[in-house]
Amino acid sequence: MISSVKHSSAAFGVSDLLRSNSRSPRPQFAILSSISDRKNPSLSLSSRKSLHLSTPEGFGLRSRDGFFRCKAYEAEKSDNAEISLPEAKPSAAAQKVKIGIYFATWWALNVVFNIYNKKVLNAFPYPWLTSTLSLATGSLMMIISWATRIAETPKTDFDFWKALAPVAVAHTIGHVAATVSMSKVAVSFTHIIKSGEPAFSVLVSRFLLGETFPVPVYLSLLPIIGGCALAAVTELNFNMIGFMGAMISNLAFVFRNIFSKKGMKGKSVNGMNYYACLSILSLLILTPFAIAIEGPKMWAAGWEAALSQIGPHFIWWVAAQSVFYHLYNQVSYMSLDEISPLTFSIGNTMKRISVIVSSIIIFHTPVQPINALGAAIAIFGTFLYSQAKQ
């Protein structure tokens, strides 16, 4: 490789530089290993091009440590050669803080949503419209974010929306079924039954997809199923529609996860935009069914009755439950980009505990000791399931 030294506009050969230094103190050069011998593949210098050395300090000057400082670049390029160093990974403490923030935000938003959602359903028992408003609000928020470039617009194509369609169908069914459940029973009871979702996941994967699991996974289903059954039998305000709504929601969300894993592999859309697209497509699916099942006449009568009973606060309740529904789901999908599925599963279990406890306190839900025991057993079984699948 031909090497030369460049200073100002003049260029000297290495031999000229050495001859000129015989009349002045000879600067010390750090040993430069051959470019071809470097093991770092990130160094983008060609061994067949002239290499120029430049320094702002001038020739014949020493630095404090006695070495001559210089920059290297290829003769046919004007940019300084760069060596890309691996990015420093965040410390374990910083990562734990980040995960903690995700979980705290996720749980807080979910608790607030469930409280306002139940208030709305108590005064306005139309779960199909309530579900539609939740999806419509989230979709509008994201469309505005894309239009104003607050959020990056996702790059999608027909194949993306085709793969997303079955996910959206399952998401729509699960969302409506859960809302129907909470319109009929206490929030705490709905979430106790929904803690049995891992049991549905294992059974569907085993008998429909042919997947097998370790024995501890199957054993962890026993406390989940037993705890949910005990809580259902001892529920003071048991309602079959509410119970079946929670069960259907579990089944629908299991299929949503299956469709998402199978159809969305390789789709380069982040968690926030993925859920936004899911909300938009689910809104298009749900709206005609909501109109057919409940309809504008029922909505108008119910809305007027709710306003006369609650007052202007009712409008705030509707807006709050719609906004917080989108936000808590958005944060949960964003967290999947940062944490492992196991950590997410544990966080989901703890989320249900926070929702159950807070709803019992706020709505003064009567709970028998045996009912609380069933809920505790079911939630503990969910935790065991997440550990067994590790």
Side-chain angles (χ1 to χ4, degrees):
M1 179 178 65
I2 301 173
S3 298
S4 61
V5 176
K6 182 179 179 181
H7 179 56
S8 300
S9 60
F12 300 90
V14 173
S15 59
D16 295 331
L17 176 62
L18 295 178
R19 285 198 299 270
S20 64
N21 283 340
S22 62
R23 297 186 298 271
S24 60
R26 188 173 185 177
Q28 297 179 11
F29 284 80
I31 298 175
L32 301 177
S33 59
S34 173
I35 299 298
S36 61
D37 293 336
R38 288 188 179 272
K39 296 181 179 180
N40 189 349
S42 301
L43 184 58
S44 58
L45 288 177
S46 171
S47 61
R48 296 185 178 181
K49 295 181 180 180
S50 299
L51 180 68
H52 289 273
L53 303 175
S54 64
T55 175
E57 300 173 347
F59 295 111
L61 296 179
R62 295 172 181 264
S63 62
R64 292 182 179 178
D65 56 3
F67 287 97
F68 186 84
R69 301 301 177 191
C70 61
K71 296 181 180 180
Y73 61 91
E74 292 177 354
E76 296 179 6
K77 296 183 179 180
S78 59
D79 296 334
N80 290 344
E82 295 181 355
I83 300 176
S84 60
L85 298 177
E87 296 182 359
K89 294 183 179 180
S91 64
Q95 185 67 13
K96 288 181 180 179
V97 170
K98 189 175 184 179
I99 294 175
I101 293 174
Y102 267 115
F103 279 175
T105 305
W106 178 20
W107 298 342
L109 292 173
N110 191 265
V111 168
V112 174
F113 158 71
N114 278 277
I115 291 172
Y116 280 108
N117 188 50
K118 184 59 178 177
K119 285 186 174 184
V120 169
L121 291 172
N122 286 341
F124 185 75
Y126 297 97
W128 287 81
L129 177 60
T130 304
S131 301
T132 305
L133 291 176
S134 300
L135 294 174
T137 301
S139 300
L140 180 61
M141 290 170 60
M142 288 308 302
I143 291 174
I144 293 175
S145 298
W146 292 333
T148 57
R149 297 188 178 182
I150 296 175
E152 182 182 359
T153 305
K155 296 179 180 179
T156 61
D157 52 20
F158 177 77
D159 290 336
F160 171 84
W161 292 100
K162 181 180 178 181
L164 189 64
V167 184
V169 171
H171 178 74
T172 303
I173 295 173
H175 175 42
V176 173
T179 308
V180 169
S181 176
M182 282 191 280
S183 69
K184 298 296 183 180
V185 296
V187 175
S188 57
F189 180 70
T190 297
H191 279 273
I192 290 171
I193 301 303
K194 282 179 67 62
S195 65
E197 183 176 327
F200 285 85
S201 179
V202 171
L203 295 176
V204 169
S205 299
R206 177 66 184 88
F207 294 106
L208 294 184
L209 302 179
E211 296 183 12
T212 58
F213 300 91
V215 174
V217 172
Y218 293 111
L219 294 178
S220 69
L221 301 183
L222 297 178
I224 294 175
I225 297 173
C228 288
L230 182 60
V233 170
T234 58
E235 173 65 24
L236 295 176
N237 299 314
F238 180 83
N239 180 281
M240 182 56 70
I241 296 178
F243 174 75
M244 290 305 299
M247 296 287 281
I248 293 173
S249 178
N250 280 339
L251 187 61
F253 284 144
V254 166
F255 278 103
R256 179 192 65 180
N257 296 337
I258 292 174
F259 293 147
S260 182
K261 289 179 181 178
K262 286 194 168 185
M264 302 309 296
K265 283 184 177 180
K267 307 298 181 182
S268 57
V269 177
N270 61 28
M272 180 178 67
N273 283 334
Y274 176 83
Y275 180 70
C277 294
L278 182 62
S279 296
I280 293 172
L281 194 53
S282 295
L283 175 63
L284 297 176
I285 295 171
L286 176 59
T287 300
F289 287 97
I291 294 174
I293 294 174
E294 292 177 347
K297 290 184 178 180
M298 296 177 64
W299 295 340
W303 189 271
E304 184 177 353
L307 282 176
S308 62
Q309 180 184 358
I310 307 298
H313 290 295
F314 173 71
I315 299 176
W316 158 248
W317 292 356
V318 174
Q321 73 91 25
S322 300
V323 171
F324 283 105
Y325 172 79
H326 176 78
L327 291 179
Y328 102 76
N329 276 287
Q330 187 180 76
V331 171
S332 70
Y333 273 83
M334 290 172 64
S335 66
L336 280 172
D337 292 338
E338 304 292 336
I339 60 180
S340 67
L342 174 63
T343 305
F344 181 86
S345 178
I346 296 174
N348 196 43
T349 302
M350 301 304 295
K351 178 205 72 175
R352 297 214 183 279
I353 296 176
S354 62
V355 171
I356 291 171
V357 173
S358 61
S359 63
I360 290 174
I361 295 174
I362 292 174
F363 294 108
H364 305 287
T365 306
V367 179
Q368 294 181 330
I370 190 68
N371 185 260
L373 178 62
I377 293 174
I379 293 173
F380 180 67
T382 304
F383 175 77
L384 293 178
Y385 167 81
S386 66
Q387 295 296 310
K389 283 202 70 179
Q390 184 175 1

